[in-house]
Amino acid sequence: MSAAPKSVAIIGANLAGGWAADTLRQKGFEGEIILIGEEPDPPYERPPLSKDLLLHPDEMPKTLFLHDLDYYAQQRIELRLGVRASRIDLRGKRVELADGGHVNADRIMLCTGGAARSLPVPGADLPQVHCLRSLADSRAIAAGLAPGKSVVVVGGGVIGLEVAASAARKGCAVSVLEAAPALMSRVVTPEIGQFLLQCHRAEGVDIRPGEGIAAILGESGVQAVDTGSGARIDADIVVLGVGIDPADDLARQAGIATDNGIIVDAHCRTSVAEVYAAGDVANQPNPYLGGRVRLENVQNAQNQGAAAAEAILGSTTAFEELPYFWTDQFDLNVQAAGDTRHAEQAITRGALESHAFSVFYLTQGKVQGVLTVNQPKDMAHGRRMIMRHLCPDPAALADPDSDLRQIVKAAS
Amino acid sequence: MAFVKVCARDDVPEGEGIKLEQGPEPVALFNAEGEFYAIGDTCTHGDWSLSEGYMEECEVECTLHMAKFCIKTGRVTAPPATAPVKSYPVKLEGDDIWVDFDAGILPDGG
């Protein structure tokens, strides 16, 4: 065993990095903690960027920032904000910064997150074409949303649909181009994708599955989008919601193993001793999905960041996160846990038309995924069914009047 | 500083909570195997009613983003919440439950 660390440098002042720093201190680490971030802000939650902050850009959600600046000072967590880490010197245990400075540390944690993808189409560099990843991105999009504006969203995934819903609520004329035949197809079944499509259409959003983008048209500013199938859609603003690429360059250049993100074990350890990774960039074995996965959601960032901190302090508990995300679109609160795409059997509890229902996904009788729409309490029961490997009675699950607590108890 | 009669014991099912709105701030009242506890109802993370939460042993899990609070003290027991909620004195008289809405306190040390 190597000596106990005296200093930890965390690259990425985001939610994973912020929780990691805080956890180190809360669990009794007395040494130096240095949190390095490229953005000017201390760690914040990203979920409001596509929702509350687009709808009400002047109202800061009270829990946007994980902590205020005073807190970091009190906890002796040194913030190095607005500066990029440019290189990791593994032998010298040193992080070099783009401003010429450097940080020495016994342990390094990489919470470098991801970068929103752009698209290689003509016009993608026009000023009204935005990605959505940072607070600055959100503010720039919000400034372009006003009643009567035409908004084209490229990508019918979670971020694209949240932006579409927010823009529609602001009175914009919204179109969504999704190259795949169904919406949110990385995370939900085609049936749920179809349900979401109908909800968006009922709210006036022009959703076009199976339609891509060939070019963004305009001289000095965006005027329209050419879908490539002959359609031309007028646009004042274009938002690209086509996913992120893991920001693993720094790790790769240092010789740390990467493959769709930074490869880590169940204790968030990378291929190099005393270097850890957590958050969107970490590619980790997941017992619930039966393979390696890079989870891009807020729960994972928070919990994996904390778990990596505990691992640095000597914890031997494997991190086994049940994949989970939520999204709010119009009046729908959608939550999903586990594998909600590959099950043998889908048991629906409640009617889709009511906009309040849950779906339990079973394989060989065992619950492996749960999706709820405006039924958050069902999710609390459903997550326990998955984590406890339960085989509940399908007929009871399907009956909206049955008591899920009793069903969990009966199957335990 | 006064206790107010809020409901009957039977109004709060075992393992569940109800929202009380008789005081200046909403309060969640929980039934944990016949013991009753009252804490601030609004999750300090996402403005969601903890009375709608999932209760297990002496914790309630907010159903919006899974923060957990101790129903006896109001202390945070799981993130993403970082700030506690108040706990309120509860007394039983016969079949009636009384809560003192003016005497809510935050746990020591947050």
Side-chain angles (χ1 to χ4, degrees), chain A residues 247-272:
Chain A
D248 55 9
D249 294 354
L250 206 57
R252 192 177 320 106
Q253 286 156 12
I256 296 165
T258 59
D259 179 12
N260 177 28
I262 301 171
I263 299 287
V264 296
D265 67 7
H267 306 281
C268 303
R269 294 180 294 210
T270 69
S271 64
V272 170

Side-chain angles (χ1 to χ4, degrees), chain A residues 121-130 215-224 238:
Chain A
V121 298
D125 54 349
L126 286 167
Q128 297 83 9
V129 180
H130 302 280
I216 301 168
L217 310 174
E219 291 299 320
S220 56
V222 170
Q223 288 180 337
V238 175

Side-chain angles (χ1 to χ4, degrees), chain A residues 71-396:
Chain A
Y71 179 86
Y72 294 99
Q74 281 161 16
Q75 298 295 320
R76 294 181 297 113
I77 295 169
E78 184 186 341
L79 296 176
R80 301 290 291 267
L81 301 176
V83 63
R84 190 170 55 82
S86 54
R87 183 172 170 268
I88 301 169
D89 173 359
L90 288 172
R91 192 169 297 180
K93 286 273 177 64
R94 189 173 137 110
V95 178
E96 294 175 3
L97 306 177
D99 64 4
H102 70 269
V103 167
N104 292 312
D106 298 334
R107 301 285 186 279
I108 294 171
M109 195 192 301
L110 295 159
C111 301
T112 43
R117 285 188 196 123
S118 187
L119 282 176
V121 298
D125 54 349
L126 286 167
Q128 297 83 9
V129 180
H130 302 280
C131 294
L132 178 48
R133 180 72 181 167
S134 67
L135 209 41
D137 295 334
S138 176
R139 288 178 177 136
I141 294 169
L145 302 182
K149 294 274 187 191
S150 297
V151 180
V152 174
V153 176
V154 184
V158 172
I159 297 295
L161 293 179
E162 289 185 349
V163 170
S166 300
R169 277 282 188 263
K170 291 286 273 188
C172 302
V174 185
S175 302
V176 177
L177 306 178
E178 168 54 59
L183 299 180
M184 275 171 52
S185 56
R186 275 176 67 199
V187 284
V188 301
T189 58
E191 291 73 23
I192 299 299
Q194 186 62 26
F195 166 77
L196 293 167
L197 181 142
Q198 285 164 356
C199 292
H200 276 260
R201 283 194 177 151
E203 295 279 355
V205 179
D206 166 29
I207 299 238
R208 305 189 185 197
E211 191 108 68
I213 179 168
I216 301 168
L217 310 174
E219 291 299 320
S220 56
V222 170
Q223 288 180 337
V225 165
D226 173 356
T227 68
S229 63
R232 181 193 148 107
I233 307 170
D234 286 341
D236 298 304
I237 173 170
V238 175
V239 180
L240 305 178
V242 291
I244 64 166
D245 290 315
D248 55 9
D249 294 354
L250 206 57
R252 192 177 320 106
Q253 286 156 12
I256 296 165
T258 59
D259 179 12
N260 177 28
I262 301 171
I263 299 287
V264 296
D265 67 7
H267 306 281
C268 303
R269 294 180 294 210
T270 69
S271 64
V272 170
E274 300 175 350
V275 181
Y276 297 73
D280 290 9
V281 78
N283 186 328
Q284 189 174 46
N286 187 289
Y288 293 101
L289 300 181
R292 284 192 163 274
V293 66
R294 210 166 47 68
L295 296 173
E296 297 172 357
N297 63 64
V298 64
Q299 247 73 29
N300 182 67
Q302 162 193 299
N303 295 338
Q304 200 174 34
E310 298 212 34
I312 286 180
L313 299 180
S315 166
T316 54
T317 308
F319 179 65
E320 298 182 337
E321 179 81 349
L322 172 63
Y324 165 86
F325 75 91
W326 90 88
T327 171
D328 294 326
Q329 299 169 25
F330 298 110
D331 297 325
L332 306 175
N333 168 253
V334 181
Q335 302 191 19
D339 186 341
T340 49
R341 286 199 310 147
H342 303 101
E344 290 170 356
Q345 198 183 1
I347 312 273
T348 305
R349 176 184 175 90
L352 271 62
E353 307 77 60
S354 69
H355 288 198
F357 63 92
S358 303
V359 188
F360 296 85
Y361 296 95
L362 276 54
T363 292
Q364 294 182 339
K366 197 158 83 177
V367 182
Q368 62 176 53
V370 178
L371 178 136
T372 63
V373 174
N374 293 336
Q375 293 287 33
K377 202 162 185 174
D378 285 7
M379 177 54 68
H381 294 286
R383 286 200 345 269
R384 284 160 179 85
M385 292 180 199
I386 303 171
M387 291 190 284
R388 294 172 192 172
H389 311 290
L390 301 186
C391 295
D393 172 13

Side-chain angles (χ1 to χ4, degrees), chain B residues 20 27-30 36-40 71 86-90 99:
Chain B
L20 304 175
V27 166
L29 177 67
F30 295 100
F36 294 87
Y37 300 99
I39 59 173
I71 61 171
K86 288 178 184 169
S87 63
Y88 294 82
V90 177
V99 170

